[in-house]
Amino acid sequence: MSIIKACIFDLDGVIVDTAVYHYKAWKRLANELGFDFTEHDNEKLKGVSRTRSLELILKWGGVTKTAAEQHELATRKNQWYVDMINHMTPDEILPGAKEFLEACRNAGIKTALGSASKNSMMILDKTGLTHLFDVVIDGNKVSKAKPDPEVFLKGADALGVDPAECVVYEDAIAGVEAAIKGGMKVVGIGSPEVLGEANLVLNGLNEMSLEKLNNL
Ligand code: B16
Ligand code: MG
């Protein structure tokens, strides 16, 4: 009998691949500022907040901006990003994600979202997944970014379960560290070389099952 009572899912890289839209919007901003932004750079921004992402991009481009200018740039990037995610459909849910969420709920396991994004509600709405989450904790509800465990601890608290009874699903190393710091089990989604600290590393939720959950 498993002690796991809840699963907490990161959004970008676990449920959907919004990184491609973040990349297009950041690249457009970088190009307007006169420098380039590669997919390789974009990898380093996965799971990183919008304001911190902008700081890093400006640093890589060798550009200095005031706080007010940074606010305007982040707002501009977000507008382009929102215009793109506004067209998302359920077809963009990553393989196995919806099925595993449904399997959890059918087994009486609670579900939460634990994401850095401030646009998570819109993404869940556009992909038709909102009803599969008991609780949504996202960038609007936390003050400390991963690897701080705040986002996952708030998720466990809102679900009314102990951290030790939770499994987190994460594609970013900072998210894996946050889950461990929070005293939770963690399934890494991606490469074992990068996410080796996780209890289990899979290519996607299509490889996850309730049996594997019970054996973590
Ligand atoms: P927003 P996650 C993260 O999502 C993304 O991986 C990261 O690239 C993005 O900067 C961050 O959300 C904030 O997103 O600009 O929409 O608030 O992986 O934590 O679900
Ligand atoms: Mg992620």
Side-chain angles (χ1 to χ4, degrees), residues 110 112 134-137 141 152-161:
K110 292 179 179 174
D134 294 304
V135 158
V136 173
I137 307 292
K141 293 186 179 158
F152 299 135
L153 292 176
K154 280 196 168 167
D157 188 55
L159 290 171
V161 297

Side-chain angles (χ1 to χ4, degrees), residues 21-198:
Y21 301 124
H22 284 296
Y23 172 61
K24 284 184 183 168
W26 285 129
K27 186 178 173 67
R28 184 171 168 185
L29 190 75
N31 291 351
E32 284 194 4
L33 292 170
F35 58 91
D36 203 15
F37 174 67
T38 65
E39 284 189 71
H40 178 76
D41 294 331
N42 195 54
E43 283 299 308
K44 297 178 207 148
L45 303 181
K46 288 190 173 173
V48 177
S49 75
R50 193 183 313 161
T51 46
R52 181 66 189 143
S53 296
L54 177 65
E55 285 170 7
L56 289 168
I57 289 167
L58 293 177
K59 192 175 93 178
W60 297 333
V63 171
T64 309
K65 294 285 176 188
T66 65
E69 287 167 338
Q70 289 188 29
H71 180 74
E72 188 278 320
L73 291 171
T75 304
R76 207 192 305 174
K77 177 268 176 181
N78 190 57
Q79 193 55 55
W80 295 328
Y81 175 71
V82 167
D83 286 347
M84 287 186 274
I85 60 172
N86 195 27
H87 293 103
M88 285 183 82
T89 69
D91 287 345
E92 291 180 66
I93 301 169
L94 288 173
K98 187 173 187 190
E99 292 76 6
F100 185 63
L101 278 159
E102 287 170 343
C104 287
R105 291 172 67 91
N106 289 338
I109 293 166
K110 292 179 179 174
T111 57
L113 192 79
S115 165
S117 175
K118 294 186 173 177
N119 295 299
S120 68
M121 294 302 283
M122 183 179 188
I123 296 164
L124 293 183
D125 179 45
K126 293 292 170 186
T127 53
L129 291 173
T130 308
H131 67 289
L132 292 176
F133 290 92
D134 294 304
V135 158
V136 173
I137 307 292
D138 66 10
N140 299 297
K141 293 186 179 158
V142 295
S143 55
K144 295 180 218 135
K146 302 166 190 175
D148 190 283
E150 182 186 17
V151 64
F152 299 135
L153 292 176
K154 280 196 168 167
D157 188 55
L159 290 171
V161 297
D162 285 339
E165 298 169 329
C166 296
V167 177
V168 167
Y169 301 83
E170 252 293 351
D171 71 313
I173 180 72
V176 170
E177 285 174 19
I180 293 169
K181 278 188 197 162
M184 300 175 179
K185 295 239 169 70
V186 55
V187 174
I189 303 294
S191 142
E193 282 119 67
V194 182
L195 306 174
E197 283 179 70

